[in-house]
Amino acid sequence: MSTPLVRPKRKNPLARTRLPLLPQGARSRTALGLTAAAAEGRFALQVCGDCAHILYPPRDVCPRCLSARLTFGDVDPYGRLVAETTIRVSTDPYFRERMPWRVGIVRLDAGPVIVAHLHGDTIEGERVKLVLKLDKSGSAVMFALPAQETPHMQADPHLREMTCDPHYRRVLISDGRNAVGQAMTKAFSEAGASIVFVGVADPWKPFPGMAELSKIERVEIVALDVTDTESVTELAAQNGGRIDIIVNTGEHVRPGGIIARGNLSIARDEMDIRYFGMLRLAQAFGPALRFRGADGANSATAFVNLLSVHALMNWPAYGAHSAAEAACLSASQCMRAELRPGGVRVLNAFFGPLETEWFQTVPPPKLAPAALAKAVVAALKDGNEDIFVGDIAWDIRERLKANPKALERELGSQ
């Protein structure tokens, strides 16, 4: 059984911070299909389109029938751990700091035999569940978990190394004035975060939910206005070295397209809060996050961007808003590359219309802020990079994959 995670001791300010090291991350273009599945928390292997043979490791042709019609598809992740060993010496700098490290051979019920990293509660000869995880380099690796949930399972040090569990980590919520920010605050507090800093612009101004927000356990309200560079940099100077997870909850949702608005004032506000606000947070807090990627059990671990699913395909009814979200998506992909050397993950959470006042006229189904917050916490615990929350987000994702032009026309006619 895994040892329960204990609250980390206060760090000695004179002690040297360990520099982030990354495992070997080179993968072939074909093998990046595993990375795509791991980013979304799916377990997918190559399946031959002609003989239905399930392959591992990824190949360019099927070894059974020589077909090149190989696609990645979700398969049964369960199997048996047939052999295991513990590595105690390694020449790789990353693994040398983390010895001993258990690995084993798993025979999947689906057929393939796979070498995988092992959770501490797995036992040779017993049933296990394989999952695809993203390691610190951002590459997909196989990880074997016990087939059944065990006590304190998330506390396993090797699993925690490949996830972004908020337990005993310090979180910054960028905007606590809106419903999403308040739901996120509650969710992270319930997930065991050491402290949740909640940014509020002009905290002297009352707002709906303010009393309830201040009553949540381990919450500290801080002055933060993402449209003010000085406000962001001042908070980063005070607390940047203490924050492990940033959740960008800033929002500015207004209906309308591009032509009918007639002026740029609303578009400027959208870009200032959503796009430039995200850039201010990244530039102020990013260097400290990247530097603290290996800072013990509560190392810096994630930057979370909440994005409308219409960042992937514009919805003309909210056309200008969709365009701002698309700019945020592009910037988050750049941030992902820049934060990866520190082992810090960028999580993009895509969602459809929310149960908030600015989507009042949009018919159901709509997503409750609490459901979005719960999904974000679960994604951090799983170590995902991209999640789609709610029926609308999943529907847009599937229609985009099937026929992007058809989706463009369908959204334009709504």
Side-chain angles (χ1 to χ4, degrees):
M1 185 177 70
S2 297
T3 303
L5 188 68
V6 297
R7 182 182 294 275
K9 296 180 181 179
R10 291 178 64 89
K11 183 180 176 182
N12 180 355
L14 301 180
R16 179 179 182 271
T17 299
R18 290 169 59 192
L19 296 178
L21 297 175
L22 303 182
Q24 297 297 319
R27 299 291 188 275
S28 69
R29 185 176 181 86
T30 302
L32 289 178
L34 297 175
T35 303
E40 296 183 354
R42 299 182 295 111
F43 184 75
L45 298 178
Q46 279 182 311
V47 181
C48 179
D50 289 331
C51 69
H53 180 55
I54 299 175
L55 289 71
Y56 184 84
R59 298 178 173 91
D60 293 325
V61 295
C62 175
R64 177 178 290 179
C65 69
L66 301 182
S67 171
R69 295 179 59 236
L70 302 178
T71 58
F72 282 89
D74 295 349
V75 301
D76 182 2
Y78 290 92
R80 190 171 300 278
L81 178 60
V82 297
E84 63 95 10
T85 189
T86 301
I87 301 173
R88 302 188 183 277
V89 179
S90 174
T91 58
D92 185 281
Y94 173 84
F95 287 104
R96 284 184 68 183
E97 293 186 354
R98 293 160 176 82
M99 293 289 111
W101 194 282
R102 293 180 70 221
V103 295
I105 298 175
V106 176
R107 184 180 296 277
L108 283 177
D109 297 340
V113 176
I114 295 174
V115 178
H117 302 287
L118 300 182
H119 188 280
D121 293 343
T122 54
I123 301 172
E124 186 174 328
E126 297 292 329
R127 299 279 295 172
V128 295
K129 177 184 178 181
L130 275 186
V131 292
L132 279 167
K133 295 292 184 184
L134 295 174
D135 64 14
K136 288 287 190 179
S137 72
S139 300
V141 296
M142 292 287 180
F143 200 96
L145 302 172
Q148 303 295 328
E149 187 83 15
T150 60
H152 313 296
M153 191 166 167
Q154 287 287 337
D156 179 76
H158 294 170
L159 180 60
R160 191 170 173 88
E161 185 73 11
M162 298 184 188
T163 61
C164 308
D165 193 339
H167 193 203
Y168 287 143
R169 285 193 163 105
R170 294 153 298 197
V171 182
L172 171 64
I173 308 296
S174 68
D175 188 355
R177 284 185 170 272
N178 56 53
V180 173
Q182 293 166 19
M184 288 288 172
T185 302
K186 184 177 180 180
F188 277 96
S189 176
E190 293 175 348
S194 294
I195 186 170
V196 183
F197 297 100
V198 184
V200 175
D202 299 326
W204 53 272
K205 290 182 179 179
F207 56 89
M210 182 176 181
E212 292 77 7
L213 187 65
S214 60
K215 293 178 183 177
I216 300 174
E217 288 187 85
R218 300 179 299 278
V219 164
E220 180 178 332
I221 295 178
V222 295
L224 177 61
D225 182 356
V226 297
T227 66
D228 182 354
T229 302
E230 184 176 345
S231 172
V232 178
T233 54
E234 182 177 344
L235 182 62
Q238 294 173 351
N239 293 313
R242 302 172 56 200
I243 291 171
D244 310 317
I245 298 173
I246 295 176
V247 185
N248 181 19
T249 57
E251 66 176 21
H252 190 276
V253 181
R254 299 293 186 272
I258 304 297
I259 298 175
R261 281 188 172 176
N263 63 69
L264 298 177
S265 59
I266 297 177
R268 287 194 184 97
D269 290 340
E270 286 169 338
M271 294 297 287
D272 198 25
I273 294 173
R274 292 294 294 133
Y275 178 73
F276 292 114
M278 187 179 74
L279 264 57
R280 291 184 184 100
L281 288 171
Q283 291 172 357
F285 290 92
L289 285 175
R290 186 167 53 190
F291 182 70
R292 292 188 50 252
D295 199 10
N298 57 343
S299 61
T301 188
F303 192 112
V304 181
N305 282 318
L306 306 180
L307 298 170
S308 167
V309 72
H310 296 290
L312 301 173
M313 179 61 73
N314 192 285
W315 181 21
Y318 286 78
H321 172 67
S322 300
E325 295 294 292
C328 292
L329 173 59
S330 181
S332 72
Q333 292 167 346
C334 177
M335 287 170 51
R336 185 173 286 163
E338 291 184 289
L339 290 174
R340 187 173 297 131
V344 177
R345 196 153 300 169
V346 174
L347 168 63
N348 289 333
F350 298 96
F351 56 92
L354 297 171
E355 284 282 4
T356 58
E357 59 182 2
W358 290 106
F359 292 106
Q360 177 191 1
T361 60
V362 177
K366 291 186 281 190
L367 184 68
L372 176 59
K374 183 178 179 180
V376 167
V377 170
L380 289 171
K381 289 182 177 181
D382 287 341
N384 299 339
E385 272 192 353
D386 296 296
I387 61 169
F388 293 81
V389 188
D391 295 337
I392 296 297
W394 275 102
D395 179 61
I396 294 294
R397 175 185 181 273
E398 295 304 313
R399 290 159 67 189
L400 182 63
K401 288 172 58 178
N403 190 333
K405 186 55 68 175
L407 176 60
E408 178 188 339
R409 293 292 191 270
E410 289 161 358
L411 290 175
S413 62
Q414 291 181 1

